Amino acid sequence: MSNEFPEMIPRTECHSTRRTYRTKDSRYHMKGSYCTDCGEKYFPPRQGLRCPNCGGRDLQDYYPPKRGEVLTSWKDDVGYPATGYTDFPPRTIVVVKLDDGLHIISEVVEMEGELVEKGTPVKMVIRKHKREDTGNWVYGYKFALAE
Ligand SMILES: [Zn+2]
């Protein structure tokens, strides 16, 4: 802690600045990839050159819909922040089924550990995740209750 950064900055698992830059499209826009041969979708995007489903080589960028519904939720309340994160629990973690069928595990903001009913509509929002090793904030997607 310091005057400049009053909250706790865990140094054990900080995001590196370069890794943060390389993954920004996935965190800001939920960029994934899909195979043009078999149609399989991947999130986060495949790093390899081949589709593990069919072996095809033509993987294209894919941006899934930013809305979906909750399949299940649970309370993250172990008493300390997840490694590298500065937010203290309780947090609400959910499995979201996006409108195109992709499943994503994420956090629902402003719920403070309250469970979310199955089928509740949610939308993607950008929120602070954690600190880089330089002290800068890493932003990324989370979900919020949709109207
Ligand atoms: Zn494929």
Side-chain angles (χ1 to χ4, degrees):
M1 286 196 241
S2 68
N3 291 337
E4 190 177 0
F5 304 119
E7 74 276 20
M8 184 182 77
I9 303 174
R11 295 285 182 194
T12 53
E13 271 289 322
C14 284
H15 243 114
S16 81
T17 304
R18 283 166 279 173
R19 181 174 176 198
T20 300
Y21 182 78
R22 287 197 305 265
T23 60
K24 68 183 186 332
D25 285 343
S26 294
R27 285 180 294 106
Y28 295 164
H29 309 293
M30 294 191 345
K31 175 185 159 191
S33 58
Y34 82 99
C35 174
T36 56
D37 294 334
C38 69
E40 191 75 13
K41 300 166 191 162
Y42 300 98
F43 181 82
R46 288 284 307 162
Q47 299 296 319
L49 297 174
R50 286 184 170 264
C51 169
N53 192 37
C54 72
R57 288 178 177 264
D58 193 16
L59 294 169
Q60 300 291 323
D61 290 347
Y62 168 68
Y63 294 89
K66 307 297 186 274
R67 290 177 168 269
E69 64 175 37
V70 171
L71 290 183
T72 183
S73 68
W74 63 95
K75 182 178 177 181
D76 171 19
D77 191 12
V78 291
Y80 52 86
T83 306
Y85 285 73
T86 54
D87 286 344
F88 277 85
R91 307 186 305 164
T92 301
I93 310 297
V94 291
V95 175
V96 175
K97 181 181 181 185
L98 298 176
D99 287 346
D100 68 345
L102 208 63
H103 292 60
I104 289 182
I105 297 177
S106 184
E107 179 183 342
V108 174
V109 298
E110 297 160 6
M111 292 297 289
E112 297 181 353
E114 289 178 47
L115 298 184
V116 183
E117 281 188 32
K118 182 179 178 182
T120 304
V122 289
K123 61 182 178 185
M124 188 197 90
V125 293
I126 300 291
R127 291 290 187 273
K128 287 178 181 173
H129 272 197
K130 53 186 174 179
R131 294 276 197 184
E132 290 178 342
D133 49 9
T134 58
N136 295 328
W137 277 106
V138 175
Y139 285 80
Y141 68 86
K142 292 184 180 179
F143 285 86
L145 299 183
E147 298 80 41

